[in-house]
Amino acid sequence: SAETAAPVQSEQAAPVVYENNYLVKVGDVAPNFTLSLTDGTEFTLSKNRGKVVMLQFTASWCGVCRKEMPFIERDIWLPNKDNKDFVLLGIDREEPLEDVKKFAESTGITYPMALDSKADVFASYAERKSGITRNILIDRDGRIVKLTRLFNDKEFGELVQAIDSLLGK
């Protein structure tokens, strides 16, 4: 399907699809979820209200994700990892734990990774069959402030600036 800015509606009251096949838009409350992390702990989005949260949807087979992740590590995670008001979570779609651990190791990232084993969390944010990489930036009130798709310098720079702004840097 063509990725356009206008919402697409079918006669069967299908969900509204926004730009880049997102099912959410800036200003929406981010859909809540709970996922297991690679270290065995659980992450629940709603328990992180009051913090700035960035979600990165990724997978080991995604070349663009592999290209982007070292930049996320260097420009977002490392400068902010000790900030108690910031959370960064990589969400790997449809891969087993061992593959996700190897993926994180091979890309050199140290930020937390979660397992979205059936892509159900992904499907609450974007059309299930649509592509990744995608980053979702959520403010302290739980509202989406930025959505990215693919990886380009301009958009990534805007994402870094938005995080810094939300953190009061």
Side-chain angles (χ1 to χ4, degrees):
S1 65
E3 294 189 0
T4 62
V8 179
Q9 281 280 23
S10 79
E11 293 172 20
Q12 300 171 343
V16 176
V17 180
Y18 299 99
E19 187 175 2
N20 291 324
N21 294 327
Y22 272 109
L23 301 177
V24 293
K25 64 184 185 308
V26 168
D28 287 355
V29 172
N32 191 34
F33 62 87
T34 298
L35 287 175
S36 292
L37 304 186
T38 54
D39 68 2
T41 61
E42 281 202 335
F43 175 90
T44 300
L45 182 61
S46 62
K47 290 182 180 171
N48 286 275
R49 284 280 165 86
K51 297 180 182 182
V52 175
V53 178
M54 178 181 145
L55 308 177
Q56 182 222 6
F57 286 101
T58 187
S60 67
W61 44 262
C62 168
V64 181
C65 302
R66 285 183 172 277
K67 180 181 170 192
E68 179 187 48
M69 289 168 78
F71 290 94
I72 293 174
E73 175 78 10
R74 183 190 76 193
D75 298 339
I76 297 173
W77 177 241
L78 292 179
N80 296 302
K81 67 180 184 145
D82 296 325
N83 187 330
K84 305 229 179 308
D85 292 330
F86 179 72
V87 176
L88 170 59
L89 186 64
I91 301 177
D92 184 281
R93 59 178 291 175
E94 300 168 284
E95 296 185 295
L97 175 62
E98 285 311 311
D99 290 5
V100 177
K101 285 181 172 178
K102 284 181 195 153
F103 174 38
E105 196 175 303
S106 72
T107 54
I109 60 131
T110 59
Y111 54 86
M113 292 286 287
L115 305 170
D116 189 8
S117 57
K118 296 187 173 123
D120 288 342
V121 172
F122 178 80
S124 70
Y125 285 86
E127 287 191 304
R128 187 178 291 276
K129 290 184 169 34
S130 61
I132 49 179
T133 192
R134 290 171 188 270
N135 297 307
I136 297 161
L137 183 59
I138 302 163
D139 70 13
R140 296 170 193 266
D141 298 322
R143 292 196 177 274
I144 296 169
V145 293
K146 189 152 187 62
L147 299 164
T148 72
R149 172 76 181 101
L150 295 176
F151 174 61
N152 70 66
D153 291 339
K154 180 177 183 289
E155 190 175 62
F156 188 79
E158 291 169 356
L159 177 63
V160 172
Q161 285 180 327
I163 291 167
D164 288 349
S165 175
L166 287 171
L167 292 173
K169 288 184 166 183

